[in-house]
Amino acid sequence: MAPNLRDIQLTSAAGPRGISARGDDGDLEDVRLLDSYDEEEAAAGLPEWTGREEADKGVRRIQVRVTGMTCSACTSAVEGAISALPGVARASVSLLQNKAHVVFDPNLVKDVDIRDAIEDAGFEAEVLPDSNNSQTRSQKTLSGQFTIGGMTCSACVNSIEGILSKLPGVKRAVVALATSLGEVEYDPSVITKDEIVHAIEDAGFDAAFLQSNEQDKVLLSVAGFSNISDVHVIQGILRNLKGVKQFEANISLAEVEVIFDPESIGLRSIVDAIEKGSNGKLKASVQSPYALATSNHVEEASKMLRLFLSSLILSIPVFFIRMVCPRIGFLNSFLLMHCGPFLLRDLLKWILVSIVQFVIGKRFYVAAYKALRHWSTNMDVLVVLGTSASYFYSVGALFYGAFTGFRPPIYFETSAMIITFVLLGKYLEVVAKGKTSDAIKKLVELAPATALLLVKDEEGRYIGEREIDALLIQPGDILKVLPGSKIPSDGIVTWGASHVDESMVTGESEPIPKEVSSAVVGGTMNLNGALHIQATRVGSNTVLSQIISLVETAQMSKAPIQKFADYVASIFVPIVITISLITFLGWFLCGLLGAYPDSWVEESSNCFVFSLMFSISVVVIACPCALGLATPTAVMVATGVGASHGVLIKGGDALERAQNVHYVIFDKTGTLTQGKAAVTTAKVFTEMELADFLTLVASAEASSEHPLARAILDYAYHYHFFDKLPSVEGAAKQSREEILSEWLLEAIEFSALPGRGVQCLINEKKVLVGNRALLAENGVPVPTEAENFLIDLEVNGKTGILVAYDGSFVGLLGIADPLKREAAVVVEGIKKLGVHPVMVTGDNWRTAQAVAKEVGIEDVRAEVMPAGKADVIRSLQKDGSIVAMVGDGINDSPALAAADVGMAIGLERISLLKLRTTSW
């Protein structure tokens, strides 16, 4: 049975505007009589210094490995440091075992506080994962994703990874700068996601939890959720739901986080209960983590743009006063007026720059302080050093001139313009990072937003349909899928027959027939015929979700060269500061010794100011106004030029790696081929004219909804009229039918024979269009010449369609997915560059080998699923080879992300042709 939720209280969740409702029970496990017996036995077995009372109070016991202790005085120092923490009940340190046993109240002190106290005492500490505590909470390791804002370089990545890896309960932490994502494996019984978020924020970055692989927690957006009475309504509804273990409501965000047992209650039941229990006032919906990440990117970009524009508006007058006004007589005279001891121009610049420095630039000071507090450095430290040196020197010079009458030059505009350009670089960086998640967005958009649920009565009879959020689909639901719509979830067909385009998963260009008991994949397209499917896998268990997970994993992985970059970044800032100090001291000492002419320093008034300007220049050059602005600007210019020529470049790293490519892996369907079935051959074996033959076949297939029938109709129409038929969508469908009726023959008694073909009567004579089995059933022999021609088609990976008229064989058609005209030329050009081409496809071996032979590729990998394509790439990368992947379908996304260089073909022409004139 679920824990008792009678003691739910209202607590602050988001400051003065946030109200939270949560259960007091920290442990979410079921409470049973046997648990009490087990706890008593565990308490009896605790060390003597722990005691039964401490075990019953819900305290936590951990073991910490302590390194650096040499004598009993060290153990006393460690025990004293731990015991001084509030909430610590007992601490015992063993010198021989180099361990500390600590009993404490987890509500007052955390594991990280104990570790920090030991380290502050001068020793190294590590919380051991198997602490043999008496908690019964599950020890399952979760993998959580967090959005991280404010990262500017690899030093930030190193800082965050270092902080996360030191947290107790964190098994592994990986941070990706390009996607602003962090993936953390952690033990939820030791550390929570909120503690991880707080640790990242405490390091000076913005953080938010995105999603995890825990299946019993959901975040609901509640429309109409606005006051405390709504909290009481939610509390009453959720408390009475069997299977709901804990919940937390936040009024300011209109959100409710619910932890529930999916075996006892479904997510849709919770959503329905909230709407029904509130009489329709409160409407709950599931928040998509990807939509949340997108909104965060947009919000961060908007914030950076506002800061940049504000800084620019204030910096332009400062720059104008310094550079332009001295050349305009009346303005210069006006600005040279005195306001007390200060000149008006200096006073105006001081006021404007102060706003830029300390209001708009506050984020740099906060981030630098938090970094230095953890004995780490980042680019924010350089920004603060450079701008502060310029600002405070200018302030000092301003007061010096005001009280002595000798006015040395001031450089307020330097700090203002530095901050302005740094903010511009950060804005461009945020925009560029947002574009890197386009692949994930497109994958998510494949899944339909809603689904048609067939509603049953108590006796199991279908009584209606209901449109629901696709995120609320539960295993066992019966869903209706209309023709032309996407399948909302993985499942099994329970009624109906149709063809489904599964190229997203398999890469097969030909639609797959589906009937009762056939398996279907969520996100694929139902082409014709309504289907009823029973959902089997939902949420993160679907094939589409697994593909998305593969792409995310590939994007999170780091290239080997990045390790060197991370090392350089970790020592970059201290080196820059050191060089800056050396520069200052070198020029200053040379000035004192008269090593350079006095005329050099006349404008700067003295060698101190002269040397300071050089020192600031070193810091400024190393600031993000160079590193953070130059790279995004160069990449965006390059991508813009490429886009104007039809080549979309995702980032500068792809351009850098492309010159060292050893393997180019091609997908087949849609990359080397056109990606759609088409008639490639039509041959008549009687005296009938080809035009009459095509008219006859098209007339027979006009009533069929099979994709091959549409290919035959398109081919016949183009043969007669050199034009394309209108599509079968929307208003064009009626126009298409009118056109067909004008030139096709009348077909009666039409019937489609699954797995064989079609038959009908035309001119009162029987017409058969299908495979060998259909003609054999009707006693129509196939001539030897036609049989040999058909074998040749099949050897080349084409589908043969046989035609009989009035009991006699007439001719046949070959249908295949034709190659793009440029495919063979591209492969030949790649070979001349010394690059090895490989074809990897989900198609069968016969078709794959036929296509590879036609384009000139010897290395072929066929019948490979999406995850297998990424595995092929990794196998080629093991010896250090640089691998490029060229693909077009969503099924290629994991391979495109895993490759060193991914090339997505979205146009009819292969964009690689544009690279033939460049160096790889």
Side-chain angles (χ1 to χ4, degrees):
M1 105 186 143
N4 191 353
L5 296 176
R6 290 176 299 175
D7 298 328
I8 293 179
Q9 298 178 350
L10 295 178
T11 59
S12 176
R17 295 186 303 159
I19 295 180
S20 169
R22 65 162 68 228
D24 284 343
D25 293 337
D27 189 351
L28 301 180
E29 296 299 312
D30 293 346
V31 180
R32 299 173 295 178
L33 293 177
L34 287 177
D35 291 339
S36 301
Y37 177 81
D38 293 338
E39 290 174 0
E40 290 177 3
E41 295 296 324
L46 290 173
E48 293 181 0
W49 51 269
T50 304
R52 276 284 307 275
E53 291 183 359
E54 291 173 350
D56 294 337
K57 289 179 181 178
V59 297
R60 175 173 168 77
R61 181 168 66 93
I62 64 171
Q63 293 182 358
V64 184
R65 179 183 290 115
V66 183
T67 306
M69 296 186 298
T70 58
C71 61
S72 58
C74 298
T75 60
S76 300
V78 173
E79 287 180 356
I82 298 175
S83 300
L85 294 175
V88 173
R90 192 73 59 88
S92 176
V93 180
S94 171
L95 178 62
L96 295 178
Q97 297 179 352
N98 288 324
K99 287 184 180 180
H101 300 262
V102 186
V103 180
F104 61 97
D105 184 355
N107 295 321
L108 299 177
V109 66
K110 303 297 182 183
D111 299 10
V112 65
D113 298 326
I114 297 173
R115 187 200 65 200
D116 291 342
I118 297 174
E119 291 179 347
D120 290 341
F123 304 91
E124 296 181 3
E126 177 187 1
V127 179
L128 299 178
D130 55 341
S131 301
N132 297 322
N133 54 57
S134 59
Q135 286 186 333
T136 59
R137 188 169 180 171
S138 172
Q139 300 296 316
K140 181 182 68 174
T141 298
L142 298 181
S143 178
Q145 280 193 349
F146 299 80
T147 57
I148 303 174
M151 296 187 296
T152 58
C153 62
S154 298
C156 301
V157 174
N158 289 339
S159 177
I160 295 173
E161 288 182 348
I163 291 171
L164 292 178
S165 62
K166 293 179 181 179
L167 294 177
V170 173
K171 311 295 183 182
R172 183 178 67 91
V174 179
V175 178
L177 177 64
T179 57
S180 295
L181 289 177
E183 184 171 340
V184 183
E185 288 184 7
Y186 63 98
D187 185 349
S189 65
V190 178
I191 189 171
T192 66
K193 63 178 179 62
D194 293 329
E195 291 172 340
I196 296 175
V197 170
H198 291 157
I200 298 174
E201 290 178 341
D202 194 46
F205 303 89
D206 297 327
F209 178 75
L210 187 61
Q211 64 178 352
S212 75
N213 59 354
E214 190 175 16
Q215 298 298 311
D216 60 351
K217 181 182 294 184
V218 65
L219 187 64
L220 302 176
S221 294
V222 184
F225 195 43
S226 58
N227 52 52
I228 295 180
S229 63
D230 294 332
V231 174
H232 292 299
V233 172
I234 291 284
Q235 173 183 334
I237 295 171
L238 297 181
R239 179 189 297 174
N240 295 325
L241 290 180
K242 180 181 178 181
V244 174
K245 294 182 176 182
Q246 188 179 10
F247 60 88
E248 181 178 354
N250 190 309
I251 290 182
S252 62
L253 299 178
E255 295 175 348
V256 178
E257 184 179 78
V258 182
I259 299 176
F260 65 98
D261 182 1
E263 299 296 328
S264 301
I265 188 171
L267 179 57
R268 189 170 67 249
S269 301
I270 298 175
V271 172
D272 292 343
I274 292 175
E275 183 174 356
K276 183 178 179 181
S278 63
N279 296 322
K281 178 186 177 183
L282 304 178
K283 296 183 181 295
S285 60
V286 181
Q287 281 194 359
S288 170
Y290 302 102
L292 181 62
T294 301
S295 64
N296 289 340
H297 273 298
V298 173
E299 183 179 352
E300 185 178 5
S302 299
K303 179 181 178 181
M304 283 299 173
L305 181 60
R306 288 195 302 269
L307 289 175
F308 164 68
L309 293 177
S310 300
S311 181
L312 181 64
I313 292 173
L314 294 174
S315 299
I316 288 177
V318 176
F319 181 80
F320 186 81
I321 292 173
R322 173 63 185 266
M323 304 301 296
V324 179
C325 288
R327 295 176 174 84
I328 304 177
F330 72 95
L331 281 179
N332 189 41
S333 301
F334 173 74
L335 294 173
L336 289 177
M337 293 174 57
H338 284 268
C339 292
F342 304 105
L343 294 179
L344 179 59
R345 68 177 184 184
D346 296 338
L347 194 60
L348 287 176
K349 287 195 292 185
W350 185 21
I351 295 173
L352 293 175
V353 173
S354 296
I355 298 174
V356 175
Q357 186 76 26
F358 299 110
V359 178
I360 299 176
K362 176 184 175 181
R363 61 184 309 278
F364 297 114
Y365 282 93
V366 173
Y369 166 73
K370 291 184 177 180
L372 293 174
R373 192 179 64 179
H374 289 84
W375 297 99
S376 62
T377 55
N378 55 24
M379 292 301 177
D380 294 313
V381 175
L382 293 180
V383 173
V384 170
L385 285 176
T387 59
S388 297
S390 175
Y391 176 83
F392 287 110
Y393 161 75
S394 298
V395 172
L398 180 64
F399 279 93
Y400 180 81
F403 293 106
T404 65
F406 176 76
R407 302 183 185 277
I410 58 177
Y411 299 94
F412 281 122
E413 66 280 351
T414 301
S415 64
M417 296 308 296
I418 287 175
I419 291 177
T420 300
F421 281 109
V422 168
L423 290 174
L424 174 60
K426 289 185 176 293
Y427 169 69
L428 295 176
E429 185 179 357
V430 170
V431 173
K433 287 180 181 178
K435 292 181 179 179
T436 61
S437 59
D438 285 347
I440 301 294
K441 294 176 185 176
K442 291 180 180 179
L443 286 170
V444 174
E445 290 171 356
L446 280 177
T450 60
L452 283 177
L453 174 68
L454 295 180
V455 183
K456 296 181 181 180
D457 59 13
E458 296 180 354
E459 298 179 358
R461 295 176 299 185
Y462 296 111
I463 58 175
E465 301 175 0
R466 174 189 170 192
E467 187 174 12
I468 63 171
D469 190 327
L471 297 175
L472 299 179
I473 298 174
Q474 300 173 173
D477 285 346
I478 303 298
L479 308 172
K480 182 178 181 179
V481 185
L482 299 174
S485 61
K486 293 180 180 179
I487 296 174
S489 175
D490 294 359
I492 302 294
V493 177
T494 60
W495 177 88
S498 181
H499 286 79
V500 176
D501 181 4
E502 294 187 345
S503 58
M504 182 253 323
V505 177
T506 65
E508 290 280 358
S509 58
E510 184 175 344
I512 308 300
K514 300 294 181 181
E515 54 187 13
V516 175
S517 299
S518 297
V520 292
V521 178
T524 55
M525 180 67 72
N526 179 30
L527 299 179
N528 48 50
L531 295 175
H532 291 178
I533 67 168
Q534 182 179 16
T536 56
R537 293 191 297 269
V538 300
S540 61
N541 295 322
T542 62
V543 172
L544 180 58
S545 295
Q546 295 299 321
I547 293 176
I548 294 174
S549 178
L550 287 170
V551 175
E552 291 175 333
T553 301
Q555 289 186 344
M556 292 292 294
S557 61
K558 293 183 177 181
I561 191 64
Q562 191 169 347
K563 295 180 180 179
F564 177 73
D566 292 344
Y567 171 75
V568 173
S570 65
I571 62 175
F572 178 76
V573 175
I575 289 177
V576 168
I577 296 174
T578 302
I579 294 175
S580 177
L581 291 175
I582 294 174
T583 302
F584 172 79
L585 292 175
W587 282 99
F588 183 70
L589 292 176
C590 290
L592 293 179
L593 298 175
Y596 48 80
D598 293 338
S599 59
W600 288 13
V601 299
E602 286 180 356
E603 184 177 351
S604 300
S605 76
N606 57 64
C607 63
F608 174 83
V609 178
F610 185 70
S611 303
L612 181 63
M613 289 300 101
F614 280 109
S615 178
I616 293 175
S617 298
V618 172
V619 176
V620 169
I621 291 173
C623 277
C625 60
L627 294 178
L629 176 60
T631 301
T633 303
V635 170
M636 294 190 73
V637 170
T639 54
V641 174
S644 65
H645 291 83
V647 180
L648 303 180
I649 305 169
K650 192 172 183 180
D653 56 342
L655 293 174
E656 182 178 352
R657 294 179 183 178
Q659 63 179 340
N660 298 317
V661 166
H662 300 98
Y663 294 92
V664 174
I665 296 181
F666 291 96
D667 175 54
K668 181 186 75 69
T669 305
T671 302
L672 296 173
T673 67
Q674 296 180 11
K676 59 182 180 180
V679 176
T680 59
T681 305
K683 186 174 180 62
V684 181
F685 291 86
T686 63
E687 295 180 356
M688 181 181 294
E689 295 290 337
L690 180 58
D692 296 334
F693 170 74
L694 292 176
T695 301
L696 179 70
V697 179
S699 301
E701 293 284 5
S703 300
S704 174
E705 295 183 351
H706 196 282
L708 297 184
R710 292 202 297 268
I712 293 174
L713 279 170
D714 291 339
Y715 182 83
Y717 185 80
H718 184 270
Y719 180 87
H720 284 288
F721 304 103
F722 299 99
D723 198 0
K724 289 185 178 181
L725 273 173
S727 65
V728 294
E729 302 294 335
K733 184 174 182 180
Q734 182 178 0
S735 174
R736 177 188 175 96
E737 293 175 350
E738 293 175 354
I739 293 174
L740 291 177
S741 64
E742 293 178 355
W743 65 282
L744 293 180
L745 304 174
E746 182 181 6
I748 60 176
E749 297 184 15
F750 172 87
S751 63
L753 307 173
R756 289 168 292 175
V758 301
Q759 66 180 19
C760 63
L761 293 179
I762 296 178
N763 297 330
E764 299 182 354
K765 296 179 181 179
K766 191 173 185 179
V767 178
L768 303 174
V769 181
N771 54 23
R772 291 186 182 89
L774 178 62
L775 269 64
E777 289 177 2
N778 289 271
V780 178
V782 179
T784 302
E785 181 185 2
E787 181 67 29
N788 293 334
F789 188 83
L790 180 60
I791 292 175
D792 290 337
L793 289 177
E794 293 174 340
V795 169
N796 288 286
K798 298 178 181 179
T799 302
I801 304 295
L802 307 178
V803 182
Y805 180 61
D806 194 21
S808 300
F809 179 81
V810 178
L812 58 80
L813 300 96
I815 299 181
D817 186 4
L819 287 172
K820 292 180 178 178
R821 291 171 295 177
E822 304 88 357
V825 180
V826 170
V827 173
E828 181 183 0
I830 286 175
K831 287 182 176 180
K832 290 180 178 179
L833 292 171
V835 180
H836 184 71
V838 182
M839 189 178 78
V840 180
T841 178
D843 278 353
N844 60 76
W845 276 99
R846 186 179 64 183
T847 302
Q849 290 174 338
V851 172
K853 181 180 179 181
E854 193 170 351
V855 298
I857 296 178
E858 292 80 18
D859 193 346
V860 181
R861 319 288 174 91
E863 299 178 1
V864 180
M865 296 299 288
K869 293 183 180 181
D871 292 337
V872 171
I873 290 175
R874 295 188 187 100
S875 66
L876 296 175
Q877 291 172 330
K878 286 182 179 179
D879 61 354
S881 297
I882 305 298
V883 180
M885 172 68 192
V886 186
D888 77 308
I890 296 299
N891 60 302
D892 301 322
S893 296
L896 288 169
D900 298 290
V901 180
M903 303 180 185
I905 306 300
L907 305 176
E908 293 185 359
R909 295 182 61 85
I910 296 182
S911 297
L912 277 178
L913 278 174
K914 303 181 183 300
L915 297 178
R916 292 182 65 212
T917 58
T918 66
S919 170
W920 281 96

